């Protein structure tokens, strides 16, 4: 029986251990079988440990790949960070933990940069808005014509009593969005602090012009 077990190289460790357990029922005091049992128990424990490591690595790699692929699936960078943070929550010391932490920093830097660009542009739109309402109040057709995407629009703006009589003392640009995120040549600027709720701007030759309004 001992020789048979030694020769069972094609069997798995678990199968060998099962055969050995059966053999020990008939030969419980056999020292060779007892020694083999001890060795196989150690081998089984080591194989289980390696299997757990492989399984953990598989889950780690899968979670990282899923998080990384979300950059293609979602447009929101905040969502990218959320997905990477979920990876770190599951695998704080994972294979890709350091790489993920660095990627989060990169994304956050991109968000900060984009936010600053947005705020800078919002201030420019606010300045254009103030110039527009000042020209309306002053009934300055020449100034309005130069600000208008179509110069003839100045006449209709000056004829609007709602525009000319509105109080603009607290007017402020609060947000804007482009009608086309790629071309970025047409935008809607939301306003607060006055009856004028929105100004529309179009880009031409690198300069923004007023193309319409909502009051």
């Amino acid at each position: 029986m001992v020789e048979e077990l030694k020769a069972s190289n094609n069997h798995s460790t678990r199968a060998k251990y099962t055969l050995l357990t059966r053999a020990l029922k008939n030969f419980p005091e056999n020292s060779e079988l007892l020694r083999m049992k001890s060795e196989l128990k150690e081998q089984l424990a080591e194989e289980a440990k390696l299997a757990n490591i492989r399984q953990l690595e598989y889950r780690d790699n899968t979670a990282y790949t899923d998080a990384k692929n979300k950059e293609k699936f979602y447009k929101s960078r905040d969502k990218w960070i959320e997905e990477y943070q979920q990876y770190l929550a599951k695998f704080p010391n994972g294979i890709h933990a350091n790489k993920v932490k660095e990627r989060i920093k990169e994304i956050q830097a991109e968000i900060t940069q984009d936010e600053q660009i947005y705020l800078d542009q919002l201030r420019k739109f606010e300045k254009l808005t103030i110039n527009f309402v000042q020209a309306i109040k002053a009934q300055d057709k020449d100034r309005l014509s130069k600000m208008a995407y179509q110069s003839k629009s100045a006449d209709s703006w000056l004829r609007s009593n709602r525009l000319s009589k509105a109080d603009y003392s607290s007017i402020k640009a609060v947000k804007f969005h482009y009608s086309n995120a790629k071309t970025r040549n047409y935008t809607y600027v939301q306003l607060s602090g006055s009856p004028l709720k929105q100004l529309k701007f179009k880009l031409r030759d690198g300069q923004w012009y007023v193309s319409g309004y909502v009051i």
Side-chain angles (χ1 to χ4, degrees), residues 65-81:
T65 300
D66 288 345
K68 187 177 180 180
N69 286 340
K70 291 301 190 297
E71 290 195 29
K72 299 177 182 178
F73 187 78
Y74 294 113
K75 291 182 178 180
S76 169
R77 288 188 176 93
D78 288 327
K79 189 65 178 177
W80 299 357
I81 291 177

Side-chain angles (χ1 to χ4, degrees), residues 4 15 20 36 43 45 55 66 68 73 87 102 107 119 129 134 156 158 160 166 177 191 198 200-201 203 208-209 212:
E4 181 182 345
L20 183 61
M36 291 177 66
Q43 190 172 343
Q55 182 62 27
D66 288 345
K68 187 177 180 180
F73 187 78
Y87 166 85
E102 286 302 315
I107 298 169
L119 290 174
T129 298
Q134 286 177 345
S156 62
L158 290 173
S160 172
H177 71 274
L191 307 170
Q198 183 186 94
K200 302 173 184 179
F201 292 90
L203 187 67
W208 289 101
Y209 295 89

Side-chain angles (χ1 to χ4, degrees), residues 155-170:
D155 288 322
S156 62
W157 295 343
L158 290 173
R159 288 196 299 268
S160 172
N161 286 331
R162 294 189 67 193
L163 272 179
S164 61
K165 293 181 179 180
D167 179 7
Y168 301 117
S169 58
S170 300

Side-chain angles (χ1 to χ4, degrees), residues 108-124 176:
Q108 288 174 329
E110 291 171 4
I111 291 174
T112 300
Q113 183 180 38
D114 285 351
E115 287 176 345
Q116 188 58 54
I117 291 172
Y118 179 89
L119 290 174
D120 289 345
Q121 186 59 57
L122 182 62
R123 282 193 287 267
K124 291 178 182 178
F176 74 91

Side-chain angles (χ1 to χ4, degrees), residues 130-149:
I130 292 172
N131 289 339
F132 174 78
V133 298
Q134 286 177 345
I136 290 290
K137 282 295 186 181
Q139 293 290 289
D140 191 333
K141 181 180 177 180
D142 182 60
R143 186 175 173 187
L144 283 174
S145 296
K146 293 177 180 179
M147 296 179 64
Y149 189 75

Side-chain angles (χ1 to χ4, degrees), residues 190-201:
Q190 301 299 319
L191 307 170
S192 68
S194 84
L196 185 61
K197 302 302 181 185
Q198 183 186 94
L199 274 183
K200 302 173 184 179
F201 292 90

